[in-house]
Amino acid sequence: MAATTGSVLLKVPRNFRLLEELEEGQKGVGDGTVSWGLEDDEDMTLTRWTGMIIGPPRTIYENRIYSLKIECGPKYPEAPPFVRFVTKINMNGVNSSNGVVDPRAISVLAKWQNSYSIKVVLQELRRLMMSKENMKLPQPPEGQCYSN
Amino acid sequence: MAENGESSGPPRPSRGPAAAQGSATAQAEPKIIKVTVKTPKEKEEFAVPENSSVQQFKEAISKRFKSQTDQLVLIFAGKILKDQDTLIQHGIHDGLTVHLVIKSQNRPQGQSTQPSNAAGTNATSASTPRSNSTPISTNSNPFGLGSLGGLAGLSSLGLSSTNFSELQSQMQQQLMASPEMMIQIMENPFVQSMLSNPDLMRQLIMANPQMQQLIQRNPEISHLLNNPDIMRQTLEIARNPAMMQEMMRNQDLALSNLESIPGGYNALRRMYTDIQEPMLNAAQEQFGGNPFASVGSSSSSGEGTQPSRTENRDPLPNPWAPPPATQSSATTSTTTSTGSGSGNSSSNATGNTVAAANYVASIFSTPGMQSLLQQITENPQLIQNMLSAPYMRSMMQSLSQNPDLAAQMMLNSPLFTANPQLQEQMRPQLPAFLQQMQNPDTLSAMSNPRAMQALMQIQQGLQTLATEAPGLIPSFTPGVGVGVLGTAIGPVGPVTPLGPIGPIVPFTPIGPIGPIGPTGPAGPPGSTGSGGPTGPTVSSAAPSETTSPTSESGPNQQFIQQMVQALAGANAPQLPNPEVRFQQQLEQLNAMGFLNREANLQALIATGGDINAAIERLLGSQPS
């Protein structure tokens, strides 16, 4: 609810946070390699988001655009969002049959802090694409999506 | 509370300012909105009507980003904008940012066509066009890496110092300039002998990481490489310039026919983008991008001018060696690609590669190239850079690990063929040779310009001696010792190690240029060998000659040893303290944020002063 003025920690209300993130997504804050926004503009609960990661250069993901679905639950930002890839990808920490990102395998999701945001998650996933263990994994042909 | 009010209007943040702006603008009809387009590299602002479609928006920005509209992918708020949507539909208002990804030609075409093609068309036809382009790819790849053939080295990023890359770009330009060079190069017997070894060629090709990547994406290429018949044919063609030209002509003809066939152009384009472009891009990365990236239909002819080193040329000559045979095989395989153009397409691709091979070979032999080689030999710094290039080193390592291969390469040198004695001598010395090559002392000695100069002087002196006073050195054969890059000044050591250098001498000028090619594999061993054996300082000619007639090696050796000792005595060791030598590089590394002076110094020493390679080393020691 409203900021607890008495406590030391400022707890920002969920919707407030998500609106801020929406604005950031639309303004293109960041380096332009990730993008995120509401899946449905009329979604008043600001729960379902889509994200996009541009494959980092000099990796096997180069020049590809990866689409993701992000779900911010009611406890967001105290609880991490659910993230899953829509575009098929072969990467550690991502379930290869349905694209769900395993929260235990991705450090920002496993050690989630309420200062993290959707942007942080996307950027972290992109950074993991550049890691030695991921950057050369053979990928499925471009343009394939997980069937839901 | 206030939050409730806000939560009821999710798009509020964007609509709010937009609404305000909208009312502020004076225009009644389509409001012009300013949208920022952001790519990972740049950011541009565009003013477009609010109600424009994504397609129109793409057209407006395509000019600014110098791409075609179908290469542009726009992303807003995590969604890809499709051409038929409108900006309003996605809620793109004034002041918002849209992300842009510019797809290079190969991806969308390659990837999207691959699944469909892999199934039918390119199952077999792919192998033909791909095989055709493979030669080009291997052509461009090794060239891009700037080293011999496939080069066990890789790390196209780890190019040697800027001097060398300048050299490479110069060479490349010259290569592009003149086709005759290619022919001349092809006629170089050494080149031909190298090309005649399919295993070697395959090794070199496979070692190239970009090649490996390409093979991952296009498995047909690996089939091509593994097919000994194809390799042999390819190599044969590489060796026969006349045949190559013949094939080229046929290919070009077929290609032009193909273009006129409806759908044929697409097949051509697909071929180009699938295979050749990634190769060209990879190869050309360091040369400022693929010059043919924007070339549309002329891509096929464009390939021909792709510069390459000798090894690259090998695969170029297309597997479809006997044109009639290839045509038939091509036709059967490419039936699916395009109607009647199928047969043409494969042969066309072949023609491309052959054309490229031709160009490359001819380019090598232009006077320009020769002068370049000359410059290189005269500038020891270049040689040092080249030798210390990581790929050179790894190539030498692989050579040393595979002494048979090295022996084969060296023995194939035409010089040796005339002198079987020399061959015999060389053979056992090869492993020691290569060992010395890898000795960092050797490299540092080689990298010392003064040392190199001194070596060259010695060599020249010996040459003069040979002609003026043949009696002194009875076994001297004048004219053999062509500017070897000197041997390191040091303890005299046995003269025999120099022996091998001798015959290689004629090639050494090209040797250090190793990457440049014809003398490729033998080049480095030769040239580095000359620098390598820390013992012998005598220039190549003398020692080689002295050792070849084994019976007379005694007095010659003594003579040379004496000379060397005298020279060594006269010249104090000139290698400055590595710290002093690398002072400038250390400063640069410091400025870049590598504060560990010890590690920097070690990395610099290991890479011989090559900052880029040193950085790679330093970064490699840290987890990414």
Side-chain angles (χ1 to χ4, degrees), chain A residues 1-2 13 15-16 19 22-23 25-46 50-52 54 58-65 67-68 126-127 130-132 136 138 141-142, chain B residues 1 3 6-15 17 38-41 73 75-80 89-91 95-104 106-108 111-112 115 157 213 216-217 285 619-620 622-624:
Chain A
M1 273 296 291
N15 290 346
F16 203 55
L19 280 173
L22 179 65
E23 188 164 352
Q26 292 181 333
K27 293 232 173 84
V29 168
D31 57 359
T33 50
V34 296
S35 175
W36 63 98
L38 270 184
E39 182 173 333
D40 178 5
D41 280 337
E42 308 298 321
D43 178 9
M44 309 233 211
T45 60
L46 305 176
T50 61
M52 190 103 15
I54 298 170
R58 289 189 292 279
T59 66
I60 191 111
Y61 310 98
E62 180 172 12
N63 260 352
R64 296 205 196 191
I65 298 177
S67 194
L68 297 89
R126 186 172 190 272
R127 195 189 66 80
M130 297 197 278
S131 71
K132 287 200 166 45
K136 295 208 174 119
E142 199 171 343
Chain B
M1 307 259 311
E3 285 79 31
E6 288 185 359
S7 62
S8 63
R12 196 193 65 97
S14 55
R15 294 259 167 84
K38 203 169 175 185
T39 67
K41 296 196 186 76
V73 180
I75 295 169
F76 178 70
K79 295 196 205 77
I80 295 185
Q89 204 177 330
H90 284 281
L96 295 184
T97 301
V98 174
H99 296 286
L100 172 69
V101 176
I102 301 177
K103 285 193 172 262
S104 46
N106 54 352
R107 278 329 152 100
Q111 303 299 35
S112 54
L157 309 174
Q213 257 193 10
Q216 264 181 10
R217 293 186 219 128
E285 237 175 16
L619 288 176
Q622 308 164 8
S624 65

Side-chain angles (χ1 to χ4, degrees), chain B residues 286-454:
Chain B
Q286 54 250 27
F287 295 113
N290 182 353
F292 308 119
S294 52
V295 172
S297 53
S298 54
S299 59
S300 46
S301 50
E303 308 313 324
T305 53
Q306 179 63 31
S308 79
R309 318 281 188 184
T310 316
E311 290 64 24
N312 302 339
R313 269 175 295 135
D314 306 337
L316 259 194
N318 185 312
W320 324 104
T326 50
Q327 290 282 359
S328 53
S329 60
T331 14
T332 50
S333 51
T334 53
T335 34
T336 47
S337 57
T338 45
S340 49
S342 55
N344 289 339
S345 66
S346 52
S347 47
N348 288 337
T350 321
N352 276 348
T353 58
V354 177
N358 260 342
Y359 280 166
V360 171
S362 50
I363 283 169
F364 257 93
S365 32
T366 45
M369 179 62 87
Q370 296 295 348
S371 74
L372 198 62
L373 294 180
Q374 223 182 6
Q375 284 176 16
I376 292 168
T377 52
E378 283 161 9
N379 183 355
Q381 183 69 20
L382 283 179
I383 292 150
Q384 161 216 339
N385 292 340
M386 255 186 308
L387 288 175
S388 51
Y391 47 78
M392 184 72 83
R393 188 156 319 159
S394 40
M395 177 163 63
M396 295 208 293
Q397 274 176 5
S398 66
L399 275 181
S400 64
Q401 283 156 14
N402 187 351
D404 288 337
L405 188 64
Q408 215 180 6
M409 279 196 305
M410 295 225 264
L411 296 177
N412 279 342
S413 157
L415 279 182
F416 282 110
T417 52
N419 193 341
Q421 274 181 335
L422 216 38
Q423 280 186 17
E424 290 314 307
Q425 279 201 345
M426 278 278 300
R427 216 184 275 268
Q429 287 154 7
L430 273 177
F433 225 42
L434 296 169
Q435 266 314 102
Q436 280 170 334
M437 283 305 84
Q438 305 198 1
N439 184 351
D441 284 348
T442 304
L443 289 175
S444 53
M446 294 283 294
S447 58
N448 182 354
R450 285 184 296 277
M452 300 291 286
Q453 278 173 10

